[in-house]
């Protein structure tokens, strides 16, 4: 009876520690950071000599340590070949995200209790990874939008468009600005657009002013 009570207290303490550790992972900024942190949690809880994470093979997934067995994984867990550890499936809302393997744990006689603990936090681990992925995607989208905004602002700064009615002298062709001053047409356009002028002589003026 005393032994069972001690086991219950120890398991309660381990559950509390696991939840406390995982709560601190809720602000992971990337999928890689989340998984590295989860591996740290499993290391603290079970003190294994071997710990690995294998993500579900899918397009665009991050490549982590893939030394784990590639044979088909069915169910929520399976024992390792040495029977001194286990592999647990990490999932979120029935979507498998990867497999954590811990082997050669410090106290293999408690492997049943350790497995129950690992299974109980696996869904929460999946939530941590999923939230980190969404946060990472959100940051990428924000960075992309910021770049597009900067490009647009730069383009708008370079574009000056003439619009509205322009008062122009019917004789000398000067244009009156908003302050009431008359400016040469080329001066006004240069100040209100990105155009620049290069003077020349048309054929009619050439014959009129330079008949020789």
């Amino acid at each position: 009876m005393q032994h069972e009570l001690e086991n219950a207290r120890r398991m309660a303490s381990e559950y509390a520690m696991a939840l406390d550790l995982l709560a601190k992972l809720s602000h992971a900024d990337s999928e890689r950071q989340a998984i590295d942190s989860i591996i740290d949690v499993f290391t603290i809880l079970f003190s294994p000599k071997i710990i690995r994470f294998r993500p579900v093979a899918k397009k665009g997934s991050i490549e982590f340590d893939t030394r784990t067995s590639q044979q088909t994984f069915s169910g929520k867990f399976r024992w390792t070949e040495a029977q001194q550890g286990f592999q647990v499936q990490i999932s979120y809302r029935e979507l498998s995200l990867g497999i954590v393997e811990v082997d050669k744990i410090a106290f293999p006689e408690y492997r049943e209790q350790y497995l129950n603990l690992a299974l109980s936090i696996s869904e929460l681990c999946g939530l941590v990874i999923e939230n980190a992925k969404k946060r990472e995607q959100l940051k990428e989208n924000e960075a992309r939008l910021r770049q597009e905004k900067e490009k647009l602002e730069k383009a708008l700064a370079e574009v000056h468009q003439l619009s509205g009615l322009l008062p122009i002298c019917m004789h000398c062709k000067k244009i009156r600005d908003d302050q009431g001053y008359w400016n040469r047409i080329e001066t006004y356009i240069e100040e209100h657009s990105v155009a620049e002028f290069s003077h020349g002589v048309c054929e009619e003026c050439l014959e009129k002013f330079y008949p020789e």
Side-chain angles (χ1 to χ4, degrees), residues 13-202:
S13 175
E14 289 174 348
Y15 272 85
M17 180 171 64
L19 293 176
D20 181 61
L21 290 170
L22 288 173
K24 295 178 181 178
L25 307 183
S26 59
H27 300 294
D29 291 328
S30 67
E31 182 180 4
R32 175 175 290 278
Q33 183 181 13
I35 290 176
D36 287 344
S37 299
I38 289 171
I39 289 177
D40 290 340
V41 170
F42 273 69
T43 301
I44 293 172
L45 291 175
F46 310 123
S47 300
K49 291 184 178 179
I50 298 174
I51 182 165
R52 301 165 180 160
F53 182 89
R54 176 161 57 92
V56 173
K58 62 179 183 296
K59 185 178 180 181
S61 63
I62 297 176
E63 290 297 328
F64 294 97
D65 190 346
T66 56
R67 291 174 293 174
T68 51
S69 175
Q70 297 296 316
Q71 54 186 300
T72 303
F73 189 95
S74 60
K76 292 290 185 180
F77 78 95
R78 69 181 175 191
W79 300 110
T80 58
E81 294 181 4
Q83 299 294 309
Q84 294 182 11
F86 47 80
Q87 295 177 347
V88 174
Q89 187 167 201
I90 303 298
S91 60
Y92 176 68
R93 293 183 178 177
E94 305 302 323
L95 176 65
S96 179
L97 301 176
I99 297 168
V100 173
E101 176 185 5
V102 292
D103 201 8
K104 296 184 179 180
I105 55 180
F107 302 99
E109 62 271 21
Y110 295 126
R111 66 174 193 159
E112 294 280 352
Q113 293 92 324
Y114 287 159
L115 174 62
N116 290 333
L117 174 58
L119 290 172
S120 67
I121 65 174
S122 62
E123 188 77 10
L124 187 53
C125 290
L127 176 61
V128 169
I129 294 175
E130 193 66 21
N131 284 345
K133 289 167 62 177
K134 291 179 179 178
R135 191 175 291 109
E136 186 175 18
Q137 185 63 49
L138 181 61
K139 287 190 174 183
E140 291 177 357
N141 291 340
E142 288 177 347
R144 192 177 301 112
L145 287 174
R146 186 163 51 252
Q147 291 177 354
E148 293 299 324
K149 179 174 177 289
E150 291 173 354
K151 289 180 181 179
L152 180 59
E153 289 177 345
K154 182 179 179 181
L156 290 175
E158 294 175 352
V159 173
H160 300 272
Q161 183 175 359
L162 296 176
S163 62
L165 295 174
L166 298 178
I168 185 170
C169 177
M170 60 184 300
H171 296 289
C172 66
K173 308 304 181 184
K174 286 183 179 180
I175 294 176
R176 189 178 67 201
D177 59 22
D178 296 336
Q179 287 74 38
Y181 295 103
W182 292 92
N183 301 280
R184 294 172 58 189
I185 186 171
E186 58 265 38
T187 301
Y188 185 89
I189 292 177
E190 284 181 345
E191 290 178 351
H192 292 79
S193 74
V194 294
E196 294 181 357
F197 283 85
S198 175
H199 291 86
V201 181
C202 68

